[in-house]
Amino acid sequence: MKKIMITFIIGLLLGLIFMSQSFLLMIFSTILIFAIAALGLNILSGYTGQVSIGHGAFMAIGAYTTATMSLNFNTPFILNLLLAIVFSAILGAIIALPALRLKGFYLAIATMAFGIAVEQIISSFELFGGHIGLRDIKPLVDSDFYMYLINLAFYAILSYIAGRIINSPNGLKYKMTRDSEIAARSYGVNLSFAKLESFVLSAIYGGIAGSLYAHTIGYIAPTDFALGNSLNLLAMIVIGGMASIHGGLIGSIIITGLPFLFSRGSIPMSIIFGILLIVFVLFFPKGIIYGLMMGYVKYLERPFIYFIKNNLRKNDKPKQKIKVKGKDIYYDVNGEGKSVIMIHGNFGSHKWFNKVNNISGYKIYTVDMPNFGHSDHIENANIDEYADYINEFMNSLNIDKAVIVGHSLGGAVAQSLALRYNNKVNKLILISSAPYYGFKTPEENYSSLALLKNNRSILKESIKGIMPLNKDKKFLNELVNDSLLMNPKCFVENARALEKYDFTDLKDKINFSTMVLFGKKDILITKEMAVRTAEFYNAELKEYDNVGHSLMVEEPELFKKMFINFMNRG
């Protein structure tokens, strides 16, 4: 919805800027009309995987229906539009039924034959003006500017509807049909109905576009909706981006808008389109929308991230700092009493414990490990080395023994500390911890992890996704900003580090009580991992139905209650 509103606002501003330029407004309207038709084709080809090169026929049906009714019966536009939708849907269903058994090249030939047949049939009837077409079709309004606004409103509304459909269960069936018909069928998808439905929807969009075209241009002829039109629509979604809501608009700007832009030049359009085609194939093989999205993900947020990092490093440091093994380690400390060391997870910092660092009777240290937050970076990303720094941190502060709390990757560090320096540990609490035998990240996920260091938006969505109960947006933003301070190479290397440890051989070092906390909505740590870890430490396992990966953030009061109960058991 946000993208659609931005598109609408940009379109509105363009209309206001060129309000007095009737010719430009007509070009803008034409671009929007073909974008609507291309959007319908994208539902069929981009999202459902059914190739059609006869889509111009549905525009013809919509255009000739509304023009004929308007010229001969003077019926209102709303009625004409509804009739255009009905006729387009019926013919879409008719062409879809025999095409359901066809795929690929054969389906393309069948839809092309349909498009040519519709063009020839229209040309044969005097009612439709024959080969000459229909003239003097009344505009919906007298102002070119208001006509443009009507087309813009239709595009925005139809884009919103398309987005809702694509993100609905039916839209998921379309995408499953596209990706693998065998897999879709095994999941119970009715392939014939999914294809039929997408055909009908795409036909309706084409009919609406044709109806708007007739009233915007004021003249229609069979050649306006010939094979070339259908090929242009296909080119629009390929150039703009298959399986994208606004890909058709980008493609329409290029295919529809460029001929007007270069109409007075001496360079033939065939040469211009040939050069553009080469550029798109080489640099935007998946469409301009996809290319722009990847450019944004990889590059466009970097200046913003640079500003955030510099601002945080200057103005938002923890209260305390200490030298550990020659590196500055930052931390916060709260309260008085028994010592507690809380160790954050990957992409984390001391702030992840800000809501639980005030438990009465305990002196709680929340640390930025090396490579994280404001602490200095070190050469390696290694679980045991992180644990060594925590051990030296305790030595530097004269902490003989402490309760160790570890979250996620910090849980692996806490286990390394507890098993290798078991004389330093009173009790161990693991929150959604990586298991004692290591945590394997699927190889295909590493490219996504590498993107996170340069894209705050994706990083925010990733962190937001692991803690579904968190409603504190301000706190979420603070956690995301602190994540950006992590050593850039650790966005990948920390995941590698989680694969390399295994504490199985250190089981005989366990001389402390352990509690394992697990959220049933955790998308990273499975119940099997939590159960095996609890069994390894002969620990009590606590499960929570509605909690994700971060109990201390999502349900801080519940965590404090469980902490106190565990500590009171002696």
Side-chain angles (χ1 to χ4, degrees), residues 314-479:
K314 293 176 182 177
N315 303 317
D316 196 33
K317 292 183 179 180
K319 300 173 184 176
Q320 309 289 333
K321 179 181 74 171
I322 192 171
K323 282 284 185 183
V324 176
K325 299 173 71 171
K327 300 293 184 180
D328 286 338
I329 301 298
Y330 285 85
Y331 66 99
D332 273 346
V333 59
N334 292 275
E336 292 294 336
K338 294 181 180 178
S339 296
V340 179
I341 309 292
M342 293 186 171
I343 308 172
H344 59 78
N346 202 11
F347 305 104
S349 70
H350 70 285
K351 285 186 179 178
W352 283 70
F353 296 101
N354 275 5
K355 295 186 177 184
V356 295
N357 63 1
N358 57 345
I359 303 173
S360 179
Y362 296 92
K363 189 172 186 178
I364 298 176
Y365 298 84
T366 53
V367 189
D368 282 354
M369 287 192 291
N371 283 335
F372 295 88
H374 292 273
S375 293
D376 285 347
H377 296 169
I378 58 176
E379 185 65 28
N380 299 316
N382 181 277
I383 299 301
D384 287 342
E385 191 165 349
Y386 291 150
D388 292 340
Y389 271 89
I390 298 297
N391 177 56
E392 290 299 321
F393 171 81
M394 294 173 67
N395 291 338
S396 299
L397 294 174
N398 297 317
I399 302 172
D400 294 328
K401 267 195 170 186
V403 177
I404 306 299
V405 179
H407 168 239
S408 193
L409 174 144
V413 175
Q415 292 176 70
S416 175
L417 177 70
L419 294 169
R420 294 166 58 242
Y421 304 100
N422 57 0
N423 61 316
K424 294 289 188 72
V425 180
N426 276 324
K427 292 189 175 185
L428 177 64
I429 299 175
L430 301 175
I431 310 169
S432 295
S433 170
Y436 68 90
Y437 50 84
F439 183 85
K440 172 69 176 176
T441 298
E443 196 63 33
E444 60 269 20
N445 288 2
Y446 279 97
S447 58
S448 299
L449 290 174
L451 289 176
L452 297 180
K453 63 185 176 184
N454 293 319
N455 192 281
R456 186 183 182 278
S457 300
I458 298 178
L459 179 60
K460 181 178 179 179
E461 290 302 314
S462 301
I463 294 175
K464 180 181 177 181
I466 66 173
M467 42 187 186
L469 279 186
N470 177 59
K471 304 301 180 185
D472 190 339
K473 294 182 180 180
K474 181 180 178 181
F475 187 54
L476 173 63
N477 282 318
E478 291 179 6
L479 299 183

Side-chain angles (χ1 to χ4, degrees), residues 39-50 100 161-185 187-205 243 245:
L39 177 56
L41 182 58
N42 226 335
I43 293 174
L44 177 64
S45 299
Y47 288 103
T48 317
Q50 307 303 297
L100 292 177
I161 293 171
R164 293 297 298 269
I165 292 171
I166 294 305
N167 292 316
S168 71
N170 282 0
L172 180 60
K173 292 176 183 177
Y174 299 163
K175 288 177 271 191
M176 292 176 70
T177 302
R178 174 197 65 195
D179 294 338
S180 173
E181 292 191 7
I182 295 174
R185 189 181 290 111
Y187 273 91
V189 175
N190 186 328
L191 297 180
S192 296
F193 185 78
K195 292 178 182 179
L196 177 63
E197 192 177 78
S198 66
F199 256 107
V200 171
L201 276 172
S202 67
I204 289 172
Y205 272 68
I245 296 297

Side-chain angles (χ1 to χ4, degrees), residues 21-31 144 216-217 260:
Q21 304 292 323
S22 296
F23 180 68
L24 286 176
L25 289 174
M26 187 272 290
I27 295 173
F28 294 160
S29 289
T30 306
I31 289 171
D144 291 321
T216 300
I217 304 301
F260 292 102

Side-chain angles (χ1 to χ4, degrees), residues 34-75:
F34 278 97
I36 291 170
L39 177 56
L41 182 58
N42 226 335
I43 293 174
L44 177 64
S45 299
Y47 288 103
T48 317
Q50 307 303 297
V51 180
S52 172
I53 52 176
H55 215 66
F58 298 116
M59 286 189 70
I61 292 164
Y64 274 92
T65 297
T66 192
T68 303
M69 294 298 293
S70 177
L71 289 172
N72 295 328
F73 304 103
N74 200 28
T75 49

